[in-house]
Amino acid sequence: MSDFQEYNKNNLKSFTLFDNENGQSYDVPIIEGSEGPKVLDIRDLYKKTGMFTFDPGFTSTASCSSEITFIDGHKGILRHRGYDIKDLAYHSNFLEVCYLLLHGELPSQEDKSKFQNVITNHTMLNEQLVYFYRGFRRDAHPMAIMVGVVGALSAFYHDSTDFSDINQRMIACHRLIAKIATIGAMAYKYSIGQPFVYPQNHLSYSENFLHMTFSLPTNNYKVNPVIAKAMDRFFILHADHEQNASTSTVRLAGSSGANPFACIAAGIASLWGPAHGGANEAVIRMLEEIGDVSNIDKYIEKAKDKDDPFRLMGFGHRVYKNYDPRADVMKKTAHEILEELNIKDDPLLKTALQLEEIALKDKYFIDKKLYPNVDFYSGIILKAIGFPTSMFTVLFAIGRTVGWISQWKEMIEDPVNKIGRPRQLYNGKNSRSYEEVNRREKKSIFQWLWKK
Ligand code: ACO
């Protein structure tokens, strides 16, 4: 952060904007990060010109500076704190990646053990929270339960909501990373009417999650190491992805001073949407709907048809205009899992592979740079492990919690932090006078509602 502030102070380079209307020019400072595109520092633009910038969807706007994750979408690069995602996915483990995201460095052996201890000692939930689950209908979507229960944590852990205190801040981070897996497993157990299973501290993060999800009081689930490895990889691949919709939601909520549990609940709500975390669920539904490889051409045509709302789920990304490196790891892991579980000729995998092959050769997808994203193969892995589709986004949320909380912590500790408050291009009515109801013209706005 300090380099960029120094650079900005010296104002070494600038970009000139010219206003044709009044013949004035404005110099906008250019800031350079350690990698990636330079940015125009427009913080003074409104003060100097009386104008806002217009960028719906933030396609050209950096909302913050961050040291956590770097993406080069054109080259298909994703790095956390400088480490390539594939190195982390193949050689590290989820808790080590959590430490890296949170603290900026990979842990020493001693710190790794201490961190593991801290997390495992926070995996249990306040027993009172069990009653909170009972307030939900059994057929509630587990993401609805996640939003509610995570938001409710702030009512249970008052001793970690004063984030101006570094100790409370760290305890909140540890609690969220540890408890989110327990909350997710309990949401699943509740939805299928089975008793909750308590965490086991001798297991790794991913083994413990599988145990809490699949064990029964009558039958202990024996964790298969290949499945545990795949689960761990899934969590690593979802751990962070810079300023995506849910992370930006967490940062925006946090910028007002909201407590970390409430901020993560907001992030979970944002993740739920099918254009974001809900896509892995949508991919499976789509592959099932396609049903057979003989139908692929028809669905490719539907995806290309502007008048058809159908999109190829698991394809395309706001940032990646090349193969998503996470999709590559997911594809390999899907093969490993199906082989381990002796699932031969899985029809979904067969359809997915064919679909990918055809789409990657199609001019529409080539021209628009639409490649498989992380969600394209992840559903196949999760389904083979035994998760119902309604749990897929929950699993994403479990992996992403560390990214959200690391980004939240970075924001809180950033001296430049300000409440997030975008402006708008107002396009509504100009000033007009209030009219009494009997003088108003009959309008048909609610025709569809009244049906009369
Ligand atoms: N199938 C067919 N056409 C597509 C697809 C797709 N999956 N994705 C984008 N396009 C087309 C759009 O119709 C648009 O065409 P146009 O230029 O002719 O209007 C063009 O490609 C650009 O698409 P946008 O929606 O403008 O791109 P944006 O960056 O806003 O959207 C998104 C990215 C939301 C991921 C989009 O590609 C999509 O909806 N994909 C399917 C859902 C999905 O897989 N989401 C998961 C994202 S990854 C994650 O959250 C972990």
Side-chain angles (χ1 to χ4, degrees), residues 212-231:
M212 290 188 289
T213 306
F214 296 119
S215 269
L216 288 169
T218 49
N219 193 2
N220 224 10
Y221 173 80
K222 194 167 175 306
V223 181
N224 174 327
V226 178
I227 294 180
K229 185 83 216 154
M231 195 73 256

Side-chain angles (χ1 to χ4, degrees), residues 57 59 237-238 241 244-246 271 273-280 282-283 286 299-300 302-306 308-321 324 326 364-365 367-376 396 400:
T59 52
L237 294 177
H238 287 82
H241 212 231
N244 54 84
S246 55
L271 184 75
H276 190 11
N280 51 16
V283 170
M286 175 191 75
Y299 280 88
I300 293 268
K302 271 166 76 65
K304 288 166 21 180
D305 181 354
K306 278 251 154 285
D308 191 324
F310 176 80
R311 277 188 168 197
L312 219 51
M313 298 314 286
F315 255 76
H317 197 277
R318 169 62 61 79
V319 181
Y320 292 116
K321 303 300 167 199
D324 178 340
R326 300 167 303 169
Y364 174 93
F365 291 90
D367 287 352
K368 293 188 188 301
K369 297 189 166 59
L370 298 169
Y371 293 86
N373 60 48
V374 66
D375 294 317
F376 194 66
F396 190 156
R400 182 56 56 85

Side-chain angles (χ1 to χ4, degrees), residues 56-108:
F58 301 104
T59 52
S60 298
T61 297
S63 61
C64 61
S65 77
S66 177
E67 297 176 359
I68 301 175
T69 292
F70 173 72
I71 303 174
D72 183 332
H74 293 281
K75 294 188 184 146
I77 291 174
L78 167 61
R79 290 188 214 122
H80 296 315
R81 306 281 193 186
Y83 295 100
D84 191 85
I85 189 64
K86 288 190 183 174
D87 272 349
L88 295 173
Y90 290 126
H91 305 298
S92 185
N93 66 48
F94 182 60
L95 270 195
E96 204 175 64
V97 172
C98 288
Y99 185 98
L100 175 71
L101 290 172
L102 209 51
H103 299 296
E105 296 295 337
L106 285 169
S108 63

Side-chain angles (χ1 to χ4, degrees), residues 155-338:
F156 286 84
Y157 300 103
H158 303 286
D159 59 339
S160 52
T161 51
D162 175 10
F163 54 81
S164 62
D165 171 351
I166 174 72
N167 289 323
Q168 293 205 27
R169 205 150 68 224
M170 281 320 303
I171 294 171
C173 295
H174 294 152
R175 280 186 170 144
L176 276 156
I177 295 168
K179 293 185 197 308
I180 195 75
T182 314
I183 293 170
M186 283 169 71
Y188 171 64
K189 286 297 197 192
Y190 187 77
S191 72
I192 55 169
Q194 287 184 0
F196 297 134
V197 175
Y198 286 87
Q200 288 280 340
N201 281 2
H202 67 277
L203 297 172
S204 76
Y205 191 93
S206 299
E207 288 169 345
N208 186 36
F209 175 66
L210 290 166
H211 156 76
M212 290 188 289
T213 306
F214 296 119
S215 269
L216 288 169
T218 49
N219 193 2
N220 224 10
Y221 173 80
K222 194 167 175 306
V223 181
N224 174 327
V226 178
I227 294 180
K229 185 83 216 154
M231 195 73 256
D232 212 64
R233 231 178 242 173
F234 175 92
F235 289 145
I236 292 173
L237 294 177
H238 287 82
D240 192 52
H241 212 231
E242 53 121 300
Q243 308 312 319
N244 54 84
S246 55
T247 303
S248 299
T249 304
V250 170
R251 277 189 178 255
L252 197 57
S255 76
S256 73
N259 75 70
F261 303 107
C263 296
I264 301 303
I268 294 172
S270 170
L271 184 75
W272 195 358
H276 190 11
N280 51 16
E281 194 177 330
V283 170
I284 294 295
R285 280 201 302 271
M286 175 191 75
L287 293 174
E288 283 170 349
E289 190 186 321
I290 295 175
D292 189 81
V293 287
S294 61
N295 294 324
I296 289 176
D297 288 343
K298 188 175 95 194
Y299 280 88
I300 293 268
E301 287 316 308
K302 271 166 76 65
K304 288 166 21 180
D305 181 354
K306 278 251 154 285
D307 300 323
D308 191 324
F310 176 80
R311 277 188 168 197
L312 219 51
M313 298 314 286
F315 255 76
H317 197 277
R318 169 62 61 79
V319 181
Y320 292 116
K321 303 300 167 199
N322 200 326
Y323 212 99
D324 178 340
R326 300 167 303 169
D328 197 32
V329 181
M330 282 292 181
K331 188 174 174 179
K332 286 196 182 77
T333 311
H335 283 291
E336 283 168 25
I337 280 285
L338 295 180

